[in-house]
Amino acid sequence: QVQLVESGGGLVQPGGSLRLSCAASGSRFSTYRMSWYRQAPGKQRDLVASITRDGSINYADSVKGRFTISRHNPKNTVALQMNSLKPEDTAVYYCSADLGIGMRYWGQGTQVTVSS
């Protein structure tokens, strides 16, 4: 099994920034497709950003230009830099690993709250 642990969430004012980090177990981390999802209260879990083993990146339209996903394979980590945060970004953010063999793993989530 792949273990995923998110960190970096918290309370921030509108227009502020946060950096989330996800630490993963596994010796084959460099082959995983890594993603960030978020889920607001009463809503579906939506894809925020993803990055493949070769560095190909996708973003949700709602965060494009504000968020940046990156990975550092030697440390088995993936990060989400969030700038110009808005109240509608408030959600629990989840790290996810797709192993490419019909297996997906999830972290426990970290709360991000954007409020004055």
Side-chain angles (χ1 to χ4, degrees):
Q1 282 193 319
V2 175
Q3 308 263 39
L4 303 170
V5 180
E6 302 98 332
S7 62
L11 175 64
V12 65
Q13 292 184 325
S17 297
L18 283 175
R19 184 178 184 273
L20 306 183
S21 183
C22 173
S25 67
S27 61
R28 303 178 72 227
F29 171 81
S30 63
T31 72
Y32 306 159
R33 179 186 178 94
M34 300 299 299
S35 300
W36 287 96
Y37 288 74
R38 67 186 181 187
Q39 187 169 24
K43 296 189 176 181
Q44 299 294 312
R45 186 175 299 186
D46 294 324
L47 178 68
V48 176
S50 65
I51 183 167
T52 68
R53 61 190 293 175
D54 65 354
S56 180
I57 293 171
N58 287 321
Y59 294 104
D61 287 342
S62 59
V63 307
K64 200 169 295 181
R66 299 188 297 122
F67 291 10
T68 303
I69 189 172
S70 61
R71 68 191 299 161
H72 188 56
N73 290 336
K75 298 295 185 182
N76 277 29
T77 58
V78 60
L80 186 69
Q81 179 66 46
M82 304 185 294
N83 299 326
S84 302
L85 283 162
K86 305 174 181 179
E88 52 262 45
D89 295 318
T90 296
V92 177
Y93 284 70
Y94 296 91
C95 179
S96 179
D98 183 349
L99 276 61
I101 53 174
M103 300 181 69
R104 180 180 288 278
Y105 295 88
W106 298 90
Q108 81 288 347
T110 185
Q111 177 70 47
V112 172
T113 302
V114 185
S115 176
S116 298

